[in-house]
Structure formats: C-alpha cells, structure tokens
Amino acid sequence: MSIETSIASLVEDETGQPYPYRAVELVEPDWTRFPGWREVTAEDWASVQWQRAHCVKNVRQLRELMGDLLDDRFYADLERDQAERATMSMLVPPQMLNTMVPTFDPAGAGSVTEAFTEAFYADPIRHYMLPVFSDRRTDWPSHPHAARDSLHEHDMWVAEGLTHRYPTKVLAELLPTCPQYCGHCTRMDLVGNSTAVIDKLKFAGKPNDRLGDMLDYLRRTPSVRDVVVSGGDVANMPWPRLEAFLTSLMEIENIRDIRLATKALIGLPQHWLQPDVVDGVTRVASLARARGVSLAMHTHANHAQSVTPLVAQAAGAMLDAGLRDVRNQGVLLNGVNADPHALLDLCFRLLDGARIMPYYFYMCDMIPYSEHWRVSVADAQRLQHHIMGYLPGFATPRIVCDVPFVGKRWVHQLASYDTEHGISHWTKNYRTSIEAADPEALSRTYEYYDPIHTLPASGQAWWAEHGRLDESALKAAEVAEASRRTAALQAY
C-alpha cells in the first residue's frame, strides 16, 4: 500500500461505500510459526521477562528466529541498511515481530522461502521496525532540510530533557531508551544506541538531578498545566521511580493533565499487565482523581496488525485501573498506513477491539534518511478527507504536521502552499520558550518541506539545482549540529 496508489484505487463494494466497515475479531498470531519459537509456551509468551530477554537486536538473532524462511538477500539488505542508513539500532520485541506476516500460509507456494521473503518485504510492520536499504530512496534519501532534532526540541529545553514549546504544556523526557526502536523515531538524536551513521547524544545530568530540575521548573512556572511524561518510553523506567515522579508531579498545584507516553502498550503489552504495575497505576490513578488531575496514556500503533488480544487486555487493564483514557498517536508512513482503508482499519481495530481512542496521526518528521516514509502535505490533506464520516466524531483522528519551531498543526491550517516546490508556510499563535523577546514570532511564517520525489518535474529539477549537498557538506552540518547540542547538554 502507498499513497501513490491507494486513493486512486478506491472501489465501492457491496455496501455501496468506498470503505466497507466490518467488525473484526482480534487474534493473537501463532508465534510457533517461526522456527525459533516452536517450543515457546503461552506462559513464556505472557512473561515480560521472556519478551525482553528474547528481543531481536541483530541479524544473527533474526536468522536464528527465522531459520530457512528468509532468503539471504534480505539479511544482506538489512545489514547494508544498518551500516549506511539506519538512525536507530535494531531492537524488536517478540510481540512486535509476531505481528509481521501474521497470516502467511505456505500452502501452494512453489518455494516457501521465496514466498515468505516477498511477504516479509511487503509487510507494513516490518517496513518501519526492520527497515532495509532497498526501502530507502536513492534519489533523495534525506531532504536537504532534514535534521537530527528536526523539531528543535532541545533548543526549547528549560531543564535537561524538559521541552517547553507550547504555552501551557511541556514534554518531559525521563529517559533515553525504549523497549523497541522504530526506524522513523523523531527523537533519534538522543534515544537509543549510536548507529554507524548517528552518534547519539547523552544526557549529562544524573537521573535524579534531572527529574528534580524538571519538577523545580514546573513549581515555579504556574502557566504550565499539562505534562507529557515520555522519553524514550516510560515502560523502561522501573515502576517505583516512575510512580515517585508522578506522585511528585501531582503535588504541584498547577498540574491538571498528565499523559504517559508508551509504545510498549503495543509492542510489549506484557509490561503493562504485570500485577505490580497494574497495582501501581491503580494507586496513581486514584491519587489523580482525588487531586482533580486527568491521567491518561498515549500509545503508538501504526497498523491494524499491531492490535492483538494482548494489546486489548493491557489497554483494558489500564482503563480498569482508573486512567481517564488510552489514546493512540500514530505516524503517517508511506508503505505502512498512508492509505484511507489502512487508517480506518487501524482506527476501528483500536476503538472496537481495544478501547483505544484514535487521536492523532503525525506526518513523519524530517529526520535523516526518512524520505521513503514521508508523504506530502497535499496527500495528508486528501487522507484526512477520505477518513471523515466513518468514525464517531470524538474518535476521528486529526492528521497533523509538526512544523519546526511551531508545533502540531492540522494539515489544513497552512497559510500558503507552493506545491511546485513542495514548500508550505505556517503561522502560530503563541511563543515558545525561546521566543519570549522575539517581536516577530507571531507574525512570521515557518516552512515545512514535502518529499522532493512527490513534486512535479519542474519542482524536482529546482531542488536538483539548488538543494544538493555533497556528502562532506552534509557530514559537516551533522557534526556542527551535534557539537552545538552537546554544548547545550553540558550547560545544564
């Protein structure tokens, strides 16, 4: 599926509607179909310790899991990507891997290895969790305006890891690790291990000092009422430490909304089903209600295949523990979900099967080597149009563009749009934490750039003439930016 073909290929079926809604029963794929997991029991699978211990972190482990199912050309493709393009290291939990090619049937295949390899290449979950070199574009693998920290979150740090972009809201990055690493991660500058092409930055302060500095800032900044507690992923923080931070957060009078950000609800639901974690969430949710604080969880599912009975069970456990809501913030990715049917399938699977609220789909950010995932603003607008009217209004996700130095904007909110050159212009109605003294912050326009391959021939020719950076210039720019961010880190 891809944006280039999906909208043009919409056809009406027996319902007379472009999208035929059907209730779907959630199914946990049979993990024993993979040779390396043939002896894994249901008890093992339900264990978060087993899941974490058996994450796939390298090509050797993937070979051991797949046996003869995958052709050598896939491993070569993956190894080349790890060496030349990957901004995130490989880390895929069994739960996430098990949602790839979930219904593959070797019956009738002339060659099981060939058929499985083709199905694995085409799988939408594989496309962003295990990217390979042949996925990437060769004409423009990175946009000339791509950046390691494309949203300039670090520029807006008011304490190490605390981004104050919006007037009443902050983002608290408690830790730089996740239970799984998505290839398109917008925080690839800081999150995860270094790769062959990206030397990751590191937090300079001690964890307790950093969290203390965050709380101190919030105590003396009464205009902030809303805190997104993220990372990385809060599922990687030991629960007693996370509970202590949340308890301290709720003692601050001005904090009225807290959102826990965790893809682990999708990729490692076993974590949120642990009895001690469920009990802890119950305590925190009870305290939140007593103090008039809204406590919710935000997760990250990009395709309907990810929503399984275990995910539904974990989401239900969180809601039953007292969270106000569990919401999904997906990313719009070409080859994964940039298709109205795929988006609606995912939304209904979340809503009907798992009680998870479809909330946002962010356009993929302009990080290095992400052009094969990104879509144009015009295509995002068309996708928003095609999903309207099917879901309840309260559960119809908004497709948003996270504009550098601005923040999230609905894709129809642009001020002007040069479709030939793929440059959209945006305005904002608030100052970020770095613009307090900037008199033009609310009057200037800010630019966002479409993928160059989506432009008409004249636009592509313009970028070929004006936008090319040779490899040495690109590397120099990366080094300069990393040095600046390192200096900023050390300033706290």
Side-chain angles (χ1 to χ4, degrees), residues 45-263:
W45 195 259
S47 164
V48 67
Q49 290 81 12
W50 186 91
Q51 289 279 331
R52 288 187 184 270
H54 291 83
C55 286
V56 170
K57 302 177 184 178
N58 52 53
V59 172
R60 175 186 60 80
Q61 292 175 338
L62 186 63
R63 281 183 178 274
E64 291 173 355
L65 171 63
M66 295 296 181
D68 295 331
L69 286 176
L70 274 177
D71 191 271
D72 282 345
R73 64 188 170 93
F74 180 85
Y75 298 116
D77 208 357
L78 179 59
E79 286 178 325
R80 184 177 180 188
D81 194 76
Q82 291 285 304
E84 300 181 31
R85 292 290 184 265
T87 60
M88 298 299 292
S89 55
M90 195 187 307
L91 181 63
V92 191
Q95 175 74 26
M96 204 75 193
L97 260 167
N98 194 40
T99 63
M100 301 178 193
V101 288
T103 59
F104 176 76
D105 183 2
S111 165
V112 172
T113 297
E114 180 180 351
F116 183 87
T117 300
E118 290 304 316
F120 201 65
Y121 263 115
D123 186 84
I125 309 295
R126 194 286 306 163
H127 197 66
Y128 74 93
M129 290 302 301
L130 285 172
V132 293
F133 189 86
S134 63
D135 293 335
R136 315 268 184 181
R137 297 202 65 89
T138 55
D139 50 359
W140 294 97
S142 295
H143 194 280
H145 288 277
R148 294 168 56 115
D149 178 18
S150 66
L151 301 180
H152 304 278
E153 290 181 335
H154 298 174
D155 294 330
M156 301 176 198
W157 278 3
V158 290
E160 190 182 48
L162 188 67
T163 299
H164 191 173
R165 179 193 299 175
Y166 304 103
T168 63
K169 301 181 284 187
V170 296
L171 166 71
E173 296 175 77
L174 301 193
L175 72 171
T177 63
C178 296
Q180 69 283 304
Y181 292 135
C182 310
H184 64 277
C185 181
T186 189
R187 298 200 180 104
M188 46 68 57
D189 193 37
L190 179 68
V191 170
N193 303 315
S194 293
T195 71
V197 297
I198 296 290
D199 290 327
K200 302 297 177 86
L201 302 182
K202 303 295 182 184
F203 285 129
K206 295 179 180 179
N208 286 341
D209 293 341
R210 290 196 311 101
L211 302 192
D213 290 344
M214 292 180 185
L215 294 168
D216 287 343
Y217 177 82
L218 296 172
R219 292 186 187 105
R220 65 177 188 269
T221 313
S223 60
V224 175
R225 62 173 303 284
D226 181 355
V227 182
V228 176
V229 182
S230 183
D233 192 313
V234 294
N236 266 22
M237 177 170 275
W239 177 259
R241 287 186 59 207
L242 180 57
E243 183 171 353
F245 179 79
L246 296 174
T247 301
S248 297
L249 202 54
M250 284 188 284
E251 291 172 353
I252 302 173
E253 182 60 31
N254 45 290
I255 303 305
R256 314 277 14 119
D257 272 285
I258 298 173
R259 292 175 273 170
L260 303 176
T262 173
K263 187 172 181 176

Side-chain angles (χ1 to χ4, degrees), residues 272-308:
W272 295 106
L273 285 168
Q274 295 176 95
D276 61 327
V277 173
V278 174
D279 290 345
V281 173
T282 302
R283 288 191 299 271
V284 173
S286 177
L287 183 60
R289 284 194 303 274
R291 296 188 175 177
V293 175
S294 174
L295 180 66
M297 179 173 284
H298 285 194
T299 192
H300 177 183
N302 290 328
H303 195 272
Q305 287 174 201
S306 294
V307 187
T308 73

Side-chain angles (χ1 to χ4, degrees), residues 330-389:
V331 177
L332 196 61
L333 299 168
N334 197 24
V336 178
N337 57 23
D339 174 289
H341 281 220
L343 289 181
L344 288 168
D345 283 349
L346 170 57
C347 291
F348 281 118
R349 196 79 59 94
L350 290 164
L351 194 61
D352 293 351
R355 292 193 288 163
I356 297 174
M357 185 72 67
Y359 184 43
Y360 282 135
F361 282 103
Y362 285 87
M363 295 181 68
C364 183
D365 293 318
M366 290 190 295
I367 59 169
Y369 304 121
S370 65
E371 293 305 278
H372 64 297
W373 283 309
R374 296 204 307 123
V375 302
S376 68
V377 171
D379 281 333
Q381 291 174 336
R382 284 193 285 272
L383 283 168
Q384 182 75 78
H385 170 81
H386 279 282
I387 67 173
M388 298 300 290

Side-chain angles (χ1 to χ4, degrees), residues 451-465:
I452 293 169
H453 68 273
T454 67
L455 305 181
S458 59
Q460 293 189 41
W462 185 91
W463 280 101
E465 180 180 354

